[in-house]
Amino acid sequence: MSLPIRIPRRAAGQAAVVAAVFTTAVFTSGVTPAVTPAVVPAVAPAIAPAVVSADAPAAVPEAVADEGSGRVAMRFETVETYVMYSADEGAGASNDGFVVPVYVQASKGGEPARNVRVVVDASGLAGVARVGDTHMCEAEGPVFTCVYGDLQNGDGESYSPLSLRGVDGVEPGDSGTVTYTATADNAPAVTGTTRMTVGGPRLSAPGQEKNVSGLAPGKSAHVTPRLANHTRFPANQGVALKVDASEGLTLSALHSNCFYAGSAPTSAWCTFPTKAAPGAAYAADAPLVYTVTGPRTLTGEVTYTWSSAPSRPAGHPVRGVGPPLGLVRTPARGIGDGQGRVAVTTDVQVDYRPVTATVRGRVGDTVHVRLGLEDLGPGRMTGDEEPGRFEVVPPEGTTVTSVPFRFEEDGGKWACDRPEKPGGAFVCEIGRDQFYEVRHEGGTTAIDFHIRIDRQVAGARGTIRTVNPYDRTPANDVAVIPLDASPAPPYRYAWAWAAGALAVVLLAVVLLAVVRLRRRRRAAPS
């Protein structure tokens, strides 16, 4: 059995603000609990995240039991309407995301709700969805019994009791009802219902759009969103567009039928009355403009998706001030099934400079030499970019015996890849775990090379070279690693002489023993 999802006690109020994720599902708050009416949107489903209706009432604050009474009361935080799948998906649809959250109302000195159980009756879905078992709850036909256990005062838990599967032949708007009841040993029962609907057509975007490169901070570019309805159903409620820009990029609030996420938005939601016809394709009649606003931004992206359920998601309070954006018919060529995406690369660089040192010591010594790179910026990598590497060729007359590292509680002998052939470079990819504890963005990333000095070589010098795809200052990418080798100390030679002398003595003893043995054999009577 899978573990339930623990819900923070104040998560309900927060979820009301951020739960609306743009796609084809529509959630509106409100179930009818037996004890309290407090309801807010729940977690979005796996295949059809939630959208809160623009006309939906504000979320009801978390209900609080009488603090002096200490009574135990429960409530559901489910949704009144849930879109299971799109009609065009038919029997191929799959959704395991419907959740049934149960909360215990916070009260001063209140006890936990003990032995909480929820019975979910999905028999009302006959003809509009097939119901499978998610193995979270005990199933008996279309009825599922979920054991939530003891829930602490002010706390809650959530199960996904149903594995929803589509049915062929359904139409948008077809629906059924799921009912559920929560009981506890020391609390009144709570009941609720959710209307489970079949959604309108899925709308497609082109997928990967033409990339934009070399965009300077403060400069703008644009994308013209396109959509296609590849299904047999019209979008009778109109269509909606959701646009998102990554950190460092800002959308321009130019259209009155669009709502934006703040005054410097990275997200926009636009609605259109166009009832996208089956097999038809459309394009915006004006481009959407975005600007590089992050002075250290290296890369970014602008993505967009379409929905046939035009309900405004939360977090988009600012209406545009310009003329409305419209849609015009366009050829469907090149519009697939994915979201639209524009990859953006700026002209900001991350300049790396080698960190080097001299291999200094006596012949026979193994010395520690700290090698690596310094990040001179000005760009900053966000984690998605390739951070690059440095490459080390040790000086002639030396041998790298190890490049040890630590990672959390473990470590190893080689942080860098060793060369396949003698004289090749040690390649140190600083994005690997081996560099986790020494990697410093905007600073120095270096590690100790253990190098043995084998012999003196006049003028010997190794090299260290830095590489990253955003470094546009090649003049400082390479530095030398000098060798300053002194002769081995006399005691090392003394030991060698002593060892040689000892070997001669031992050899003489062995030869003498052999000679004596032969003489004895000859002198022995036959």
Side-chain angles (χ1 to χ4, degrees):
M1 178 179 295
S2 301
L3 293 175
I5 304 168
R6 176 68 62 174
I7 305 173
R9 70 175 61 181
R10 294 292 179 185
Q14 297 167 354
V17 180
V18 299
V21 180
F22 179 87
T23 181
T24 59
V26 179
F27 284 19
T28 52
S29 64
V31 307
T32 310
V35 177
T36 113
V39 180
V40 299
V43 179
I47 67 166
V51 201
V52 177
S53 169
D55 300 321
V60 179
E62 179 181 322
V64 180
D66 181 358
E67 291 191 356
S69 70
R71 69 185 177 91
V72 180
M74 300 182 297
R75 73 178 186 275
F76 286 115
E77 291 202 348
T78 47
V79 293
E80 182 177 307
T81 304
Y82 182 89
V83 176
M84 298 180 291
Y85 60 96
S86 296
D88 56 281
E89 293 180 282
S94 175
N95 184 347
D96 295 340
F98 177 66
V99 293
V100 182
V102 178
Y103 273 75
V104 178
Q105 293 179 194
S107 63
K108 185 177 181 180
E111 295 181 0
R114 303 194 183 281
N115 192 26
V116 178
R117 302 170 72 86
V118 176
V119 177
V120 181
D121 186 350
S123 58
L125 297 182
V128 294
R130 294 171 291 130
V131 179
D133 186 2
T134 60
H135 306 292
M136 288 185 131
C137 308
E138 182 179 345
E140 186 173 343
V143 178
F144 298 81
T145 301
C146 309
V147 178
Y148 283 54
D150 294 348
L151 300 185
Q152 299 301 313
N153 175 35
D155 204 353
E157 284 186 354
S158 178
Y159 278 97
S160 298
L162 308 178
S163 178
L164 301 169
R165 300 293 182 266
V167 174
D168 285 332
V170 293
E171 299 285 331
D174 288 351
S175 66
T177 299
V178 169
T179 63
Y180 30 84
T181 301
T183 59
D185 292 346
N186 59 338
V190 182
T191 62
T193 62
T194 295
R195 179 172 172 262
M196 313 288 281
T197 68
V198 177
R202 290 174 299 170
L203 303 178
S204 303
Q208 186 69 48
E209 301 267 15
K210 184 179 180 181
N211 294 341
V212 174
S213 60
L215 198 60
K219 298 298 183 180
S220 299
H222 56 80
V223 58
T224 301
R226 295 180 295 153
L227 75 95
N229 182 358
H230 294 310
T231 78
R232 63 184 180 89
F233 300 104
N236 288 326
Q237 299 182 53
V239 300
L241 168 68
K242 179 73 160 42
V243 185
D244 290 290
S246 60
E247 183 179 358
L249 305 179
T250 300
L251 300 172
S252 298
L254 299 177
H255 305 288
S256 59
N257 61 329
C258 298
F259 291 81
Y260 298 85
S263 57
T266 58
S267 181
W269 176 87
C270 309
T271 185
F272 307 85
T274 304
K275 299 180 180 181
Y282 304 83
D285 62 4
L288 296 177
V289 179
Y290 58 92
T291 303
V292 178
T293 51
R296 297 184 174 185
T297 300
L298 298 173
T299 62
E301 67 176 10
V302 177
T303 60
Y304 65 88
T305 55
W306 296 90
S307 170
S308 60
S311 299
R312 175 156 51 113
H316 293 74
V318 179
R319 189 166 190 161
V321 295
L325 191 65
L327 292 177
V328 295
R329 291 290 291 263
T330 189
R333 183 177 61 255
I335 302 179
D337 294 326
Q339 67 175 355
R341 179 180 182 273
V342 178
V344 179
T345 302
T346 72
D347 66 355
V348 179
Q349 75 153 340
V350 179
D351 183 20
Y352 281 175
R353 177 173 65 189
V355 171
T356 187
T358 299
V359 180
R360 181 177 286 109
R362 296 176 180 272
V363 172
D365 288 349
T366 297
V367 296
H368 299 177
V369 182
R370 198 155 187 81
L371 303 172
L373 58 84
E374 183 181 3
D375 181 350
L376 301 178
R380 289 291 176 264
M381 298 184 185
T382 62
D384 296 329
E385 299 90 353
E386 169 56 50
R389 65 187 186 274
F390 62 93
E391 302 173 354
V392 173
V393 177
E396 184 182 357
T398 67
T399 300
V400 177
T401 59
S402 67
V403 189
F405 66 93
R406 290 196 58 79
F407 175 64
E408 296 177 348
E409 299 301 322
D410 300 319
K413 187 176 181 180
W414 296 102
C416 304
D417 293 332
R418 288 167 283 178
E420 296 181 358
K421 298 179 179 180
F426 290 78
V427 179
C428 305
E429 301 281 354
I430 68 171
R432 297 169 61 186
D433 288 344
Q434 286 88 328
F435 283 86
Y436 178 81
E437 295 187 8
V438 297
R439 185 168 56 244
H440 298 287
E441 186 178 331
T444 297
T445 296
I447 197 166
D448 282 343
F449 277 63
H450 292 196
I451 301 178
R452 186 182 67 235
I453 301 174
D454 299 321
R455 65 186 189 277
Q456 289 181 283
V457 179
R461 299 192 305 177
T463 59
I464 177 170
R465 174 176 175 263
T466 63
V467 180
N468 86 69
Y470 310 102
D471 189 340
R472 302 184 184 93
T473 309
N476 64 350
D477 288 351
V478 180
V480 300
I481 306 171
L483 173 63
D484 183 3
S486 302
Y491 65 84
R492 288 182 181 162
Y493 296 117
W495 279 106
W497 295 335
L502 179 59
V504 171
V505 170
L506 291 176
L507 180 60
V509 170
V510 170
L511 291 175
L512 181 59
V514 170
V515 170
R516 288 179 176 177
L517 179 59
R518 288 178 177 175
R519 288 178 178 176
R520 289 176 183 174
R521 286 178 178 174
R522 290 173 182 172
S526 50

